[in-house]
Amino acid sequence: MTVAVVLYTSDLRLHDHPPLRAALRSADAVVPLFVLDEGIAAAGFAAPNRRAFLADCLTQLDAGLRDRGGRLVVRAGDVVDQVCRVATETGAVEVHLAAGVSGYAARREERLRRALTAEGRRLLVHDAVLTAVPPGALTPAASDHFAVFTPYFRHWSRQRLRDVLAAPRDVPVPAHLGSRDIPTSRGVPGASAGLAAGGEATGRKRLTAWLRGGAADYADRHDDLAGDATSRLSPHLHFGTLSPVELVHRARERGGPGAEAFVRQLAWRDFHHQVLAARPEASTADYRTRHDQWRTAESAADDIADWKAGRTGYPVVDAAMRQLRYEGWMHNRGRLLTASFLTKTLYVDWRVGAQHFLDLLVDGDLANNQLNWQWVAGTGTDTRPNRVLNPLLQAKRYDPDGAYVRRWVPELAGLAGPAVHEPWRLPDDERAGYDYPAPVVQLADGLARFKRARGRA
């Protein structure tokens, strides 16, 4: 009996899974393998919210495999060691893997290739599993990647995506192969109280419901903070319980301005992945330096603490930060305005904010998180690097009656309408009745500091 190993990483699904289908074509049996990677924990990337969501994903993946006569094999330790051990135990000559984009993924792939080749085995790496268009598929004439989204999107939109693959009916797995217990999401220390459930079945149900209901209004309402009209599919994209290729196909089949706007967001995701694939150092270093002398975690400790706690005195900023802590997720418009407030109004190093988001976000994707932070900070791909998002203008535009703020900042729930966005304007005797801080900085002062720092004063 021939055996092939399928190493699962951020592709925890059965539907539209090229590595699994290729392995089933080439061998009599497969080993669907997930390694609880000690390298992820050592790098500080095993945040509680992602650990809890991951446990749900693994549980549902195992259930889906068992419905098809197989099971998920779980090991723990160094990925290369564990893959080679499973290959030796089963006599597998092929290992199938989805291509990643981070520096860590590239090093893992290279280590695997060397180790397997030394044993006379092959590593087969599959593109268009974690992204709709492979990172290296589109390049301008004078560079190895696109640095501006608009021309990238024009090329991306003309690409013919591969067909969506059905989930296999049968997945034969060798018997008597040792496996660790699948972790459980219950009781993960530090997980957010309002964290959503993970898993492929959960993601597919949400996708179908959203395409039937929310997609039609997405173009008009995706920035509506209180309306919560985004798809909320980003955690499923991060863990690969949903295929980006399938999402593009299904959205285009749905059609209309909302679906088109949603596809554009999927293209932004691919754009960031191709930037990081070409410039892996952008996860920690400025993509385009502005020679900032940022306030550091030490020099701005009090302001950073207030920002993290949702106590900046700017209600829309604080509402978004509290949503992040409670749900492990934040509305995209909230991500933009909280990041702008930290980097440009408080002039704090973007890496401080990016790390806090990675500590809490269930969809804490390295490419999207780091490069979105850099975009807002003006050190990334934004063609207007000195733009500043005014939180008051943002609040009045995207939360006009204050419903989002009242949901997440209950101490201000008694303030009706847009007045909730500027509690400092209340008379002194009224303001004393609300347990809410004064602004940590005046917007004009923060803007002046930023302009001086960028040499624009």
Side-chain angles (χ1 to χ4, degrees):
M1 180 178 69
T2 58
V3 177
V5 175
V6 178
L7 177 60
Y8 277 93
T9 55
S10 299
D11 49 343
L12 303 177
R13 62 181 185 267
L14 294 172
H15 291 81
D16 195 41
H17 197 280
L20 178 60
R21 295 309 297 256
L24 287 168
R25 286 194 300 269
S26 68
D28 300 316
V30 301
V31 180
L33 173 66
F34 185 84
V35 179
L36 297 166
D37 185 357
E38 63 184 17
I40 298 293
F45 205 68
N49 286 333
R50 291 193 294 280
R51 285 173 49 213
F53 199 91
L54 170 65
D56 288 344
C57 295
L58 296 177
T59 297
Q60 290 194 10
L61 178 58
D62 180 63
L65 287 164
R66 289 181 183 275
D67 287 343
R68 293 160 173 82
R71 63 192 173 101
L72 181 65
V73 175
V74 178
R75 298 288 177 93
D78 177 76
V79 171
V80 175
D81 290 345
Q82 293 302 321
V83 170
C84 289
R85 184 172 298 177
V86 168
T88 298
E89 292 173 11
T90 60
V93 296
E94 290 183 356
V95 174
H96 295 258
L97 172 69
V101 301
S102 68
Y104 183 84
R107 292 189 296 274
R108 177 180 61 200
E109 180 182 322
E110 181 56 30
R111 290 179 59 224
L112 266 172
R113 193 180 305 280
R114 286 201 307 267
L116 292 169
T117 300
E119 296 179 353
R121 311 180 201 277
R122 291 193 299 158
L123 177 67
L124 292 92
V125 180
H126 299 262
D127 287 326
V129 181
L130 308 185
T131 58
V133 174
L138 302 177
T139 56
S143 178
D144 58 354
H145 72 290
F146 280 91
V148 179
F149 175 72
T150 301
Y152 174 81
F153 183 56
R154 284 198 299 267
H155 287 77
W156 186 93
S157 298
R158 293 195 292 264
Q159 289 294 297
R160 185 189 182 282
L161 303 187
R162 63 170 177 79
D163 293 334
V164 176
L165 302 173
R169 294 183 177 181
D170 300 295
V171 184
V173 176
H176 311 301
L177 190 59
S179 175
R180 288 176 58 110
D181 291 338
I182 294 174
T184 176
S185 62
R186 293 187 299 274
V188 173
S192 294
L195 184 68
E200 181 178 15
T202 301
R204 295 188 70 79
K205 184 181 297 184
R206 180 167 193 89
L207 170 62
T208 298
W210 186 75
L211 287 173
R212 288 175 178 169
D217 297 327
Y218 181 77
D220 297 325
R221 299 188 59 218
H222 70 276
D223 278 323
D224 179 357
L225 285 164
D228 196 17
T230 65
S231 70
R232 286 185 176 253
L233 296 175
S234 55
H236 294 283
L237 282 163
H238 174 64
F239 283 91
T241 56
L242 291 175
S243 157
V245 171
E246 183 178 3
L247 261 62
V248 174
H249 278 297
R250 291 185 63 177
R252 285 173 171 168
E253 290 168 3
R254 175 68 172 78
E260 291 172 7
F262 178 66
V263 168
R264 185 180 177 88
Q265 293 303 310
L266 294 172
W268 264 108
R269 180 176 182 272
D270 278 11
F271 172 74
H272 285 147
H273 279 73
Q274 61 95 38
V275 172
L276 188 64
R279 300 288 184 271
E281 67 275 9
S283 65
T284 56
D286 289 350
Y287 179 75
R288 290 184 176 127
T289 183
R290 307 297 172 188
H291 305 290
D292 287 292
Q293 298 297 313
W294 299 108
R295 299 171 72 205
T296 63
E298 294 74 24
S299 64
D302 291 342
D303 285 350
I304 294 169
D306 288 336
W307 178 80
K308 290 181 177 180
R311 298 282 290 176
T312 68
Y314 290 94
V316 72
V317 173
D318 295 341
M321 295 303 294
R322 295 183 193 190
Q323 180 183 28
L324 171 63
R325 187 165 295 279
Y326 182 77
E327 292 188 351
W329 183 89
M330 187 194 293
H331 192 289
N332 185 60
R333 177 53 53 175
R335 300 186 197 206
L336 293 174
L337 68 92
T338 55
S340 178
F341 187 82
L342 184 72
T343 58
K344 290 178 173 172
T345 303
L346 296 179
Y347 198 57
V348 170
D349 193 327
W350 65 266
R351 283 159 282 249
V352 173
Q355 184 58 56
H356 181 66
F357 272 32
L358 286 180
D359 289 343
L360 291 175
L361 282 174
V362 64
D363 60 4
D365 182 283
L366 196 66
N368 292 313
N369 186 69
Q370 307 303 86
L371 290 169
N372 270 319
W373 268 95
Q374 291 223 48
W375 188 92
V376 175
T379 63
T381 62
D382 188 5
T383 55
R384 293 171 53 198
N386 296 310
R387 82 173 81 203
V388 177
L389 300 182
N390 182 307
L392 295 183
L393 297 180
Q394 292 281 302
K396 291 173 182 178
R397 182 174 182 181
Y398 300 115
D399 188 30
D401 67 358
Y404 180 73
V405 165
R406 279 187 289 276
R407 182 184 308 162
W408 294 107
V409 188
E411 59 267 42
L412 298 178
L415 290 176
V420 75
H421 294 305
E422 300 176 277
W424 57 86
R425 293 188 179 276
L426 293 171
D428 290 346
D429 57 337
E430 289 186 42
R431 191 166 64 248
Y434 293 96
D435 178 24
Y436 189 71
V440 295
V441 65
Q442 295 300 311
L443 296 181
D445 294 339
L447 180 60
R449 173 173 54 194
F450 175 69
K451 285 184 174 180
R452 286 194 303 271
R454 288 277 170 97
R456 298 176 64 84

